Every structure is written in C-alpha cells, then in structure tokens.
C-alpha cells in the first residue's frame, strides 16, 4: 500500500514553454503533498507544501508564479513550471502524506531538461 | 524543525550489519525520527520511523537513545543493493514538513 505515482518520469522542453508534472496517490487520500527539487549530487530541497483545496505554501526563495501548484483533490497534485529556462533543469520529486505518524511516500521523480 | 547530523559517508562489507548514526540533539517531544534512503535517480524510499521506542521491521531496526538525542539505523545484513544515500529526518508534529539534510552515503562492498 501507499503508492505514489509521478508522471512523466522525464521530459525535455524548449526554453520559454511550460511543463506540468502530476503526482497521484493511488491507494490512499493524501491530506498533504510536498514538492521537492534536487540538483546533481545535492540533497532534496523542499519547494512547497500543498494542501487539498487551499493555496500552496512556498518555501523561502521559491517563486510561486513560476512554480504553480494545484491540489484539486485528495489524490492529485500538479506542479507546473512556467516559462521554463535551462536553470530550471532538475529532478523534481513529489511526496504524499496521510498525516503523521503514517509517514510520507515519494514518487519516482521527474527529470526535467530545458533546452 | 529539529536538525540532524549524519556522517557524510560510510562503508560496509556485504553480509555484515550496517550501523548508521544520527544526531538530533534538539528534538522535541512530539517530533518523530524518520529514515529514508535514495538510490541514484529514484525517489526516496521509506525505511522506518520511531518516536521513543526502538522499532524493527522487515528492512531495518531503529535504536533511539533514552534521551532521544540520537538514533542508529541498523541494516542487519547489508547487500550491494543497500548502497544508497540514507537520510535521517526529524518531523515536527506541528508543521509536518520533511526537511532533508545531506544524509550518509553508504557504500556496501563485496
């Protein structure tokens, strides 16, 4: 149980275009979802916390107008990277939680390359 | 949220127990200790978590000191597939945020 599906697993897009990444909890309802970014040889950096039906809470330094997060249901959250640029190329990972102490389940990640 | 300190890297011989330490001296009473691992280019995988008592599951054991200021993750019989970055994380019951440190890179060697 507790499976999180993330799609797509990789995407290449042109500079200036937008990319949407989906995160779905398949067998549980996620009260909270988190979005992370990871650069090569670095740890995961929390970008934002997403609660169903409310606006996402962004970490300091993360541009909310560039990284649009929508959490429309208890099983789906999306991250849209708007007007992508090469510096946005990274590994994006989502996580879903049913609340403590059940823990957090991670998606398999999305490798974004902006050319 | 409490911060954690882990060694940057460790080696372990295949078949032997791997003991990964974590220091969380500023942990509060309602904060859990979680362990995850990340194999290259994959999402983190949950291993185990605990609050006060020692815990064991099919993957590992978690030993938490009585004062809760440190813990040790034990992989009883390490295999080559256990080579990964291991993260010890303290999660606040209030914020629920999962903040990653740098973790410990465990290299299991034949």
């Amino acid at each position: 149980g507790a499976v999180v599906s993330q799609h797509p697993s990789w995407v290449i897009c042109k500079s200036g275009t937008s990319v949407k990444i989906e995160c779905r909890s398949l067998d549980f309802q996620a009260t909270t979802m988190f979005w992370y970014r990871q650069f090569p040889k670095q740890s995961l950096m929390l970008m934002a916390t997403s609660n169903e039906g409310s606006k996402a809470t962004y970490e300091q330094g993360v541009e909310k107008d560039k990284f649009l997060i929508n959490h429309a249901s208890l099983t789906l959250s999306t991250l849209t990277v708007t007007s992508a640029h090469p510096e946005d190329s990274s590994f994006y990972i989502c996580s879903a939680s049913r609340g403590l102490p059940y823990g957090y389940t991670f998606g398999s990640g999305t490798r974004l390359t902006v050319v | 949220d409490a911060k954690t300190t882990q060694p940057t890297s460790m080696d372990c011989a295949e078949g032997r127990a791997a003991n990964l330490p974590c220091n969380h001296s500023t942990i509060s009473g309602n904060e859990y200790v979680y362990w995850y691992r990340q194999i290259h280019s994959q999402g983190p995988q949950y291993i185990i978590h605990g609050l006060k008592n020692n815990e064991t599951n099919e993957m590992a054991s978690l030993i938490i000191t009585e004062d809760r200021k440190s813990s040790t993750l034990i992989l009883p019989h390490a295999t080559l597939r256990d080579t990964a970055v291991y993260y010890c994380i303290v999660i606040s019951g209030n914020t629920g945020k999962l903040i990653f440190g740098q973790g410990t890179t465990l290299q299991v060697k034949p």
Side-chain angles (χ1 to χ4, degrees):
Chain A
V3 177
V4 172
S5 172
Q6 189 172 339
H7 181 80
S9 56
W10 62 270
V11 58
I12 301 172
C13 72
K14 291 185 177 180
S15 187
T17 62
S18 296
V19 174
K20 180 184 285 188
I21 302 170
E22 289 190 350
C23 180
R24 293 180 183 272
S25 55
L26 298 185
D27 52 1
F28 68 99
Q29 292 186 326
T31 54
T32 306
M33 288 186 172
F34 302 89
W35 287 94
Y36 295 83
R37 180 168 55 180
Q38 185 176 34
F39 292 108
K41 298 189 184 301
Q42 294 187 20
S43 185
L44 285 78
M45 184 191 78
L46 180 64
M47 299 175 67
T49 303
S50 168
N51 292 296
E52 186 263 341
S54 62
K55 290 184 178 180
T57 303
Y58 291 82
E59 295 298 305
Q60 192 173 8
V62 178
E63 300 174 61
K64 62 180 181 180
D65 294 330
K66 181 167 186 61
F67 300 99
L68 301 179
I69 293 172
N70 184 278
H71 194 159
S73 75
L74 286 172
T75 60
L76 174 64
S77 177
T78 61
L79 167 68
T80 301
V81 182
T82 64
S83 186
H85 291 286
E87 56 265 30
D88 298 323
S89 298
S90 187
F91 191 51
Y92 292 87
I93 309 168
C94 72
S95 174
S97 172
R98 290 176 288 168
L100 295 176
Y102 296 107
Y104 303 72
T105 304
F106 287 81
S108 55
T110 297
R111 176 76 56 192
L112 170 63
T113 302
V114 184
V115 297
Chain B
D1 294 331
K3 292 188 177 180
T4 62
T5 304
Q6 299 177 253
T8 303
S9 64
M10 293 181 66
D11 289 344
C12 177
E14 188 179 18
R16 305 296 296 268
N19 298 292
L20 290 86
C22 178
N23 182 287
H24 33 79
S25 59
T26 60
I27 193 170
S28 299
N30 68 343
E31 292 179 325
Y32 291 82
V33 179
Y34 277 77
W35 284 82
Y36 284 81
R37 71 181 182 184
Q38 186 180 28
I39 296 170
H40 183 63
S41 294
Q42 297 181 24
Q45 176 190 23
Y46 167 81
I47 301 173
I48 198 166
H49 76 277
L51 183 62
K52 295 180 181 179
N53 300 320
N54 298 337
E55 303 288 345
T56 296
N57 63 20
E58 64 277 6
M59 288 183 68
S61 294
L62 175 60
I63 308 298
I64 303 174
T65 58
E66 192 169 342
D67 62 7
R68 302 186 69 236
K69 292 185 177 182
S70 66
S71 61
T72 301
L73 176 74
I74 301 173
L75 306 179
H77 305 287
T79 70
L80 298 178
R81 286 177 293 184
D82 291 323
T83 292
V85 180
Y86 287 77
Y87 296 98
C88 166
I89 305 167
V90 173
I91 302 176
S92 168
N94 297 326
T95 69
K97 289 184 181 180
L98 200 62
I99 305 296
F100 285 79
Q102 292 306 307
T104 296
T105 299
L106 174 68
Q107 182 73 47
V108 180
K109 298 185 175 181

